[in-house]
Amino acid sequence: MKKIFSAFLLLSFALFFSQETKPMFWQDIQNFKKLDQEQVPPKDAILLEGSSSFTKWTDVASYFPDKTIINRGFGGSRLTDLNDFANDLLDPYQPKQIIIYCGENDFADNHQLKANEVVKRYKTFYKKIREKFPNIQVDYISMKYSPSRKELWPQMKEANKKIAAFMKKEPNAAFIDITKVMEDANGNVRKDLFVEDMLHMTPEGYKLWTKVMKPYMK
């Protein structure tokens, strides 16, 4: 009886620690793998990589009816997560273009984080993309200025500026600035483009993004 109980304890501890050691967003990545097993990802699609602004854009395909879209945004993700899961996020696909929205959560996760660190994280992910896809179009959508994160805007603006400068020098690359289209006539961020949490967007917000993104899309 003692042996059975001891074995049960060991198994319980093993299960507990195996679950504890799984990285954040591990399940999201498993869900992507399951989707890819159920349906082979189309070639020459536009691959969206990033955080919840993409995750919650569940009907993104309807905004771009003439494009083939693969949405691999996972909520709350940071650029560190994109780097950690880079192989899982890139290897299964053969896209003609990758569009990235990420970085906002890096600052939200650590309010003391410097813009240069976020830029460095982005460059690391960009390098990983280029190692696998040296010639495809790669675009970065600027971090939006969510009203709920107003205290982080200065760092975001600095990071946006530096990433824009970096992308300008890169071949087959662009910085897609969605910040201006989200402002009113007085240059203030339109709160009506956000849902109650003042972080995620309404369909109208996504319509404005679509208008800005279309000229960049292959």
Side-chain angles (χ1 to χ4, degrees), residues 186-203:
N186 296 317
N188 299 313
V189 175
R190 288 177 52 186
K191 292 184 178 180
D192 63 298
L193 299 177
F194 293 84
V195 297
E196 190 176 349
D197 64 6
M198 287 293 123
L199 174 61
H200 300 105
M201 294 193 303
T202 64

Side-chain angles (χ1 to χ4, degrees), residues 90-129:
L90 300 175
D91 287 353
Y93 312 108
Q94 299 178 53
K96 64 179 178 182
Q97 181 176 10
I98 293 177
I99 301 178
I100 303 153
Y101 183 83
C102 199
E104 211 183 327
N105 291 319
D106 294 63
F107 289 116
D109 189 51
N110 177 5
H111 287 203
Q112 305 307 312
L113 194 64
K114 301 296 183 184
N116 282 344
E117 175 59 28
V118 172
V119 175
K120 181 181 175 182
R121 293 175 182 181
Y122 173 68
K123 287 180 178 179
T124 299
F125 186 59
Y126 181 85
K127 183 179 178 182
K128 290 175 186 288
I129 293 173

Side-chain angles (χ1 to χ4, degrees), residues 24-207:
M24 191 181 295
F25 305 117
W26 179 87
Q27 188 57 55
D28 296 83
I29 301 302
Q30 305 316 303
N31 293 342
F32 292 154
K33 289 180 179 179
K34 184 179 179 183
L35 287 173
D36 294 337
Q37 288 172 354
E38 292 172 352
Q39 185 173 356
V40 177
K43 294 181 180 180
D44 297 321
I46 297 173
L47 178 61
L48 305 184
E49 301 276 19
S51 54
S52 59
S53 290
F54 279 167
T55 313
K56 291 184 175 293
W57 204 352
T58 55
D59 58 345
V60 62
S62 68
Y63 287 74
F64 304 99
D66 60 332
K67 309 295 183 185
T68 302
I69 308 285
I70 300 174
N71 190 345
R72 291 297 178 261
F74 50 111
S77 60
R78 303 150 296 186
L79 285 162
T80 49
D81 301 304
L82 266 59
N83 282 314
D84 289 344
F85 290 112
N87 290 339
D88 296 310
L89 294 169
L90 300 175
D91 287 353
Y93 312 108
Q94 299 178 53
K96 64 179 178 182
Q97 181 176 10
I98 293 177
I99 301 178
I100 303 153
Y101 183 83
C102 199
E104 211 183 327
N105 291 319
D106 294 63
F107 289 116
D109 189 51
N110 177 5
H111 287 203
Q112 305 307 312
L113 194 64
K114 301 296 183 184
N116 282 344
E117 175 59 28
V118 172
V119 175
K120 181 181 175 182
R121 293 175 182 181
Y122 173 68
K123 287 180 178 179
T124 299
F125 186 59
Y126 181 85
K127 183 179 178 182
K128 290 175 186 288
I129 293 173
R130 285 302 183 208
E131 287 170 354
K132 185 165 180 61
F133 307 111
N135 299 314
I136 70 168
Q137 180 71 25
V138 179
D139 302 319
Y140 179 86
I141 296 178
S142 62
M143 284 172 261
K144 69 184 189 305
Y145 302 135
S146 306
S148 63
R149 292 175 170 173
K150 192 170 184 178
E151 72 277 12
L152 300 173
W153 288 3
Q155 292 128 287
M156 290 181 186
K157 288 179 180 178
E158 184 181 350
N160 274 341
K161 184 178 179 180
K162 291 183 175 181
I163 292 174
F166 168 73
M167 294 296 275
K168 188 176 181 179
K169 296 177 182 177
E170 291 295 307
N172 301 319
F175 179 85
I176 303 175
D177 188 1
I178 48 79
T179 60
K180 298 301 180 186
V181 78
M182 298 183 74
E183 294 177 349
D184 62 20
N186 296 317
N188 299 313
V189 175
R190 288 177 52 186
K191 292 184 178 180
D192 63 298
L193 299 177
F194 293 84
V195 297
E196 190 176 349
D197 64 6
M198 287 293 123
L199 174 61
H200 300 105
M201 294 193 303
T202 64
E204 179 61 26
Y206 285 119
K207 284 180 184 177

Side-chain angles (χ1 to χ4, degrees), residues 1-30:
M1 190 67 178
K2 285 184 178 180
K3 287 183 178 180
I4 294 173
F5 183 68
S6 297
F8 174 76
L9 281 178
L10 286 171
L11 180 60
S12 298
F13 278 121
L15 287 171
F16 174 77
F17 283 112
S18 66
Q19 291 172 353
E20 286 294 303
T21 54
K22 286 177 183 174
M24 191 181 295
F25 305 117
W26 179 87
Q27 188 57 55
D28 296 83
I29 301 302
Q30 305 316 303

